[in-house]
Amino acid sequence: MRILATVFALGCAVFAAEVVVVEQIVAKVNGDIITTTDLQRARKQLIEELKARKTPQPEVDQALANADKNILRDKIDSLLLANKGKELNITVDSEVSKYIADLMVRMKIANQEDLGKMILEQTGQTFEDWKAEMKTNMITQRVVRQEVQSKINIKKDEVAKYYEEHKGEFIREEEIYLREILLSSEGKSPAEVATLEKKAKDIVARARKNERFSNLVREFSDSQTRNEEGDIGWMKKGMMNAQIENMVFTGKKGFVTDPIKLPNGWLIMRVEDVHTAGQASLEQVENEIMEKLFMPKFQPQMREYLTKLRMEAFLEIKDGFLDSGAAPGKNTAWTDPAQLKPETVSKEEVASRRRMWRRSPSCRST
């Protein structure tokens, strides 16, 4: 028996040594949880975004250092805002459906099964998890607009004051903001190539009748900018092909070019905005100044609102993890249910309470 007991003990020790924790709850936020996988996924998404923008490595390292400090805070923020959205009865189901439909058009995906496969390959998430995360993001954005952004007021005299004190910031070179549609001829049969010019002319006609250019981009463009609604951005003279440059720099805001023949297809461009050379007027830069003034007001008010939500929430954080946005004085100590002990009452206390109940006139009357 002693030998068997020893073997059993050794077997348990080996088994215990092989146990590896692959998932861990790090925070409880009202009725939701945050796990180590959630934190790892958020970090991975940030890395992918930085890579896609071709961010220099020193900036990547700095962004990851900041993320490591604030990643739990940001996940808690998101859940608090999502819970507030439910409380405010905010629904985004129609917006989610429209986004998915638009995404399938942009990516030229025929059905949701194929979309789910693409999402799993790119993010490691199932379609349902990805959809739920997108829905949460949309709800949180609505809450932020409704509860914080709408209450920030930037007055006209603030804008004018900033303009007068920073005129040097608004001296412009001549530049234009462009979007594009490319009808590619690559990989197409001679018959298909022959129809491209007519198709391009039809698209130009629709654009000049004020059909939304971004919608036409999603429907027709073969360019890599298709996922950014054809956005090329601000272009100065000398940055483009001379043939194209001469055409677009003569156009005003809203100008749509005729189809431009390229070796790989037909190009259509739209002038979204124009900056003339010299000092920009207040009217031209008013929106830009409002954006500059908005963020210094928004950030502290947003943090104040999130602190208020923390104070009202049930929030527990496991030891070893830090919420960098913690509300001062809020107790977020982790409670392990396995360590909770039921309240015990002695027989003497029960008997005493019964005697008190019998002597109480109010109790007898009831």
Side-chain angles (χ1 to χ4, degrees), residues 181-186 188-206 208 220 222 243 247 256-268:
I181 294 174
L182 174 67
L183 303 182
S184 175
S185 58
E186 293 182 359
K188 290 185 169 60
S189 67
E192 290 173 322
V193 171
T195 65
L196 283 183
E197 183 177 8
K198 181 181 184 306
K199 185 177 180 181
K201 287 180 178 178
D202 291 342
I203 294 170
V204 168
R206 289 170 62 177
R208 288 175 177 172
F220 296 110
D222 298 312
Q243 174 198 2
M247 188 178 295
V256 178
T257 67
D258 289 329
I260 304 167
K261 183 69 174 75
L262 299 177
N264 63 334
W266 291 89
L267 178 68
I268 303 163

Side-chain angles (χ1 to χ4, degrees), residues 66-81:
N66 291 335
D68 290 337
K69 289 187 293 186
N70 297 320
I71 200 163
L72 178 57
R73 178 201 69 181
D74 295 342
K75 294 298 291 184
I76 292 172
D77 289 349
S78 179
L79 286 177
L80 289 171
L81 290 168

